Amino acid sequence: MAYTVTPTPAGPVGSQYCVCKVELSVCGQNLLDRDVTSKSDPFCVLFMEVNGKWVELDRTETAVNNLNPAFAKKFIIDYHFEEVQKLKFALFDQDKSSTQLYEHDFLGEFSCTLGTIVSSKKITRSLLLGNGKPAGKGMITIAAQELSDNRVITLSMAGRKLDKKDLFGKSDPFLEFYKPGDDGKWMLVHRTEVIKYTLDPVWKPFTVPLVSLCDGDVEKLIKVMCYDYDSDGGHDFIGEFQTSVARMCEAQDALPLELECINPKKQKKKKNYKNSGIIIVKSCKISRDFSFLDYILGGCQLMFTVGIDFTASNGNPRDPSSLHYINPMGTNEYLSAIWAVGQIIQDYDSDKMFPALGFGAQLPPDWKVSHEFAINFNPTNPFCSGVEGIVQAYSACLPHIRFYGPTNFSPIVNHVARFAAQATQQEAASQYFILLIITDGVISDMDETRHAVVQASKLPMSIIIVGVGNADFAAMEFLDGDSRVLRSYTGEEAVRDIVQFVPFRDFRNAPKETLAKAVLAELPQQVVQYFKHQNLPPIASEPA
């Protein structure tokens, strides 16, 4: 493999929908010794595959005379759940000061997807030489960490005996919170609501990101200013004080923190000036606002199931006009959809064993119609090994079944929901279920399916529907509650939107990655929404 140095692209590699940034730490063990008089001087180069070519993103420092280096320089990458981000870590022994990699001795390399690293949090693998053979006993360890401060602060504030500013009544107080900006000036972070006609206000509790309030530094001074609201915008200054988050966190429910509100002008003028009232921190709590990657790095597994439509409207699979016809290239729209979604999700499931189910076909030997059968014909073990296993089972089952009908979705939705319901016993975010249904048309059991989806919306589960062929998919759009809340025939509303529908025809001429992006774009927020709603932390989460 020839390595070339490519100028760093101006923008970030990947789409604009970056979930977050990930920091990768790299260590090497038992590296090859390429130096005669001393040990190797290794450095690591990170490449990402862009349009089929390896592009260099960054490189570490050189570790002198060290066959077991732990590199201090970290690699920082934009993470996109809905893309396959292929990475290559190549190690070299520095021989000269040249930036050209062919000037240095090659010590081995390792390739994988970013999804593989983040789903394991830390991986150790053998290094390989260019010919695919092991690079001696050389190993590489890569650890991932999300680069974001996800702490939020919730403050509950009140006031007592504030200065009276209005001629014919009491004050209408509100608070403003400021942090020091880079230019040395105070920068407004948050403004409370106005409490009318009182000198003893109690403001509603509010939550802001800790980064917003104090740049994540709990010792940093922040300034709180109290004003009396005037409708003309000329708010009257009551007083101010400076404090820190660390100090405010001393407030307990039983023991609030009291801070004097000072008006410096009054303080200068009046000898016996005490204060312009007291601002009370009733409670101050820091917690974590977990992200999708927090749950994945914490060890949450995405459990993937495929449901395939084998109804007669698809056409005879031996006929080239059939949607199930496998063309000379070995593919069709069903297989394209399975690959597009499966190759992303499989990185997030440690055993990579996926149930694959069919519906709408008559099965041997008695040719009864089934709306929920294992496509490998093993009902007690419907699991296929990886996406390749699903593809093989799908191709193998086609000659042995008769396409029939009707198009009933609810049995398969309920099948996955039964497993998702068992997972609701979890005390931390360990499992989330994803059902991919690929279908050619109109749902026959719309009422039952609506009801099944509404019930499933309470579970750790999302449904992706890919419509193949050219049928009218209005009913699918109805299930995808982007424009309005989905209701069951009983009138019960879905707790959250868990269905994402995409017509395959919109992507026929687009690069295959674009289907995966469209289908999986909403999934991270659906996962986070469920676990937050259930108040479930990641399995391995640090205290705030």
Side-chain angles (χ1 to χ4, degrees):
M1 165 82 194
Y3 290 96
T4 54
V5 177
T6 310
T8 309
V13 175
S15 73
Q16 68 275 38
Y17 306 111
C18 175
V19 176
C20 60
K21 290 189 183 296
V22 174
E23 178 185 81
L24 301 179
S25 306
V26 179
C27 303
Q29 297 91 33
N30 303 317
L31 299 183
L32 289 171
D33 196 352
R34 297 288 197 193
D35 290 352
V36 182
T37 53
S38 62
K39 293 180 176 147
S40 290
D41 306 322
F43 65 97
C44 181
V45 184
L46 173 63
F47 298 88
M48 181 184 269
E49 190 178 89
V50 180
N51 300 327
K53 292 195 178 107
W54 290 111
V55 174
E56 180 179 338
L57 292 189
D58 206 352
R59 49 179 82 180
T60 65
E61 79 281 9
T62 298
V64 179
N65 279 343
N66 193 342
L67 300 182
N68 299 285
F71 297 107
K73 165 99 186 259
K74 313 292 186 197
F75 295 126
I76 294 169
I77 301 183
D78 287 352
Y79 165 73
H80 304 272
F81 167 73
E82 71 283 4
E83 291 178 21
V84 176
Q85 293 176 275
K86 286 189 184 158
L87 303 178
K88 181 183 295 204
F89 299 83
L91 286 133
F92 296 87
D93 169 25
Q94 180 157 1
D95 282 338
K96 304 183 177 90
S97 58
S98 169
T99 59
Q100 300 296 324
L101 291 176
Y102 62 78
E103 300 267 13
H104 308 284
D105 291 327
F106 179 53
L107 300 176
E109 66 185 20
F110 166 67
S111 303
C112 68
T113 63
L114 182 55
T116 301
I117 302 170
V118 299
S119 65
S120 305
K121 197 166 185 180
K122 188 177 191 178
I123 60 172
T124 300
R125 298 286 188 272
S126 298
L127 288 166
L128 301 175
L129 296 172
N131 57 10
K133 290 186 175 158
K137 292 181 180 171
M139 308 285 280
I140 186 170
T141 298
I142 306 153
Q145 186 175 4
E146 180 173 5
L147 272 193
S148 70
D149 187 336
N150 59 8
R151 292 173 298 170
V152 292
I153 181 166
T154 302
L155 282 163
S156 192
M157 310 288 290
R160 187 174 73 240
K161 293 186 180 169
L162 297 179
D163 280 0
K164 179 169 168 278
K165 289 289 181 182
D166 293 350
L167 209 53
F168 300 108
K170 300 182 176 179
S171 295
D172 305 317
F174 67 93
L175 298 177
E176 289 187 340
F177 290 74
Y178 291 82
K179 70 176 177 184
D182 294 337
D183 55 1
K185 292 178 183 155
W186 290 102
M187 191 171 118
L188 178 64
V189 173
H190 180 77
R191 183 182 289 122
T192 68
E193 79 280 17
V194 176
I195 307 288
K196 292 272 191 182
Y197 316 121
T198 180
L199 302 180
D200 304 296
V202 177
W203 289 282
K204 284 182 196 157
F206 66 91
T207 302
V208 290
L210 198 62
V211 170
S212 300
L213 185 61
C214 60
D215 298 325
D217 178 357
V218 294
E219 301 297 340
K220 183 176 271 194
L221 274 183
I222 58 172
K223 181 160 80 168
V224 181
M225 301 181 81
C226 184
Y227 288 93
D228 166 39
Y229 174 82
D230 273 338
S231 55
D232 64 1
H235 311 308
D236 296 318
F237 175 61
I238 293 175
E240 64 180 40
F241 61 90
Q242 291 188 18
T243 185
S244 67
V245 168
R247 178 88 205 282
M248 290 195 291
C249 281
E250 292 169 15
Q252 303 294 329
D253 290 336
L255 199 70
L257 176 70
E258 301 199 345
L259 297 154
E260 285 189 303
C261 196
I262 303 294
N263 183 327
K265 282 185 182 170
K266 278 192 178 180
Q267 198 176 32
K268 272 185 187 169
K269 279 183 189 170
K270 295 182 181 176
K271 279 188 181 167
N272 60 349
Y273 174 82
K274 221 172 152 191
N275 57 50
S276 293
I278 301 289
I279 297 294
I280 303 157
V281 183
K282 289 166 64 184
S283 78
C284 172
K285 291 193 175 73
I286 296 175
S287 55
R288 289 194 181 273
D289 186 17
F290 294 114
S291 70
F292 174 68
L293 207 51
D294 284 321
Y295 290 110
I296 295 299
L297 288 168
C300 180
Q301 298 279 300
L302 300 184
M303 318 299 279
F304 180 47
T305 301
V306 179
I308 300 172
D309 179 344
F310 290 113
T311 53
S313 51
N314 282 277
N316 184 328
R318 287 183 285 280
D319 184 334
S321 65
S322 166
L323 292 165
H324 281 290
Y325 174 74
I326 298 176
N327 63 30
M329 304 284 288
T331 188
N332 61 29
E333 292 190 0
Y334 279 90
L335 287 170
S336 298
I338 291 167
W339 273 114
V341 179
Q343 68 175 347
I344 305 265
I345 304 248
Q346 68 177 352
D347 282 343
Y348 300 88
D349 186 335
S350 54
D351 68 2
K352 306 203 185 332
M353 296 298 289
F354 307 123
L357 307 171
F359 60 93
Q362 294 173 317
L363 305 187
D366 53 5
W367 304 108
K368 277 193 179 149
V369 69
S370 171
H371 297 292
E372 182 193 341
F373 64 91
I375 64 170
N376 64 1
F377 299 116
N378 186 345
T380 57
N381 184 7
F383 296 92
C384 303
S385 177
V387 183
E388 293 90 346
I390 299 174
V391 170
Q392 285 163 9
Y394 165 78
S395 304
C397 90
L398 283 174
H400 301 291
I401 59 176
R402 288 181 191 158
F403 289 16
Y404 203 68
T407 308
N408 289 357
F409 276 22
S410 60
I412 278 190
V413 173
N414 289 328
H415 175 100
V416 176
R418 282 195 294 276
F419 291 96
Q422 289 169 9
T424 56
Q425 308 306 311
Q426 57 195 351
E427 288 174 14
S430 57
Q431 289 184 325
Y432 192 91
F433 291 77
I434 293 143
L435 169 60
L436 168 65
I437 298 176
I438 313 169
T439 180
D440 80 320
V442 184
I443 303 177
S444 309
D445 64 339
M446 191 60 180
D447 281 353
E448 291 83 355
T449 297
R450 272 167 51 202
H451 187 69
V453 171
V454 167
Q455 299 314 309
S457 71
K458 305 168 194 169
L459 303 173
M461 174 173 169
S462 289
I463 302 166
I464 295 163
I465 304 173
V466 176
V468 295
N470 295 315
D472 174 14
F473 292 124
M476 309 296 175
E477 301 281 8
F478 177 74
L479 287 175
D480 186 340
D482 281 349
S483 52
R484 64 191 169 290
V485 177
L486 181 70
R487 277 191 174 81
S488 164
Y489 59 80
T490 63
E492 186 181 357
E493 290 187 349
V495 182
R496 54 197 188 95
D497 175 21
I498 62 165
V499 176
Q500 174 76 350
F501 168 70
V502 173
F504 189 91
R505 57 180 172 236
D506 292 359
F507 299 90
R508 270 183 201 140
N509 303 316
K512 60 181 186 299
E513 302 82 36
T514 47
L515 175 65
K517 284 182 196 175
V519 165
L520 296 170
E522 290 182 17
L523 192 67
Q525 71 200 46
Q526 288 175 359
V527 171
V528 170
Q529 195 184 20
Y530 174 78
F531 289 130
K532 272 192 187 166
H533 191 260
Q534 298 299 316
N535 212 11
L536 288 171
I539 301 166
S541 62
E542 301 159 17

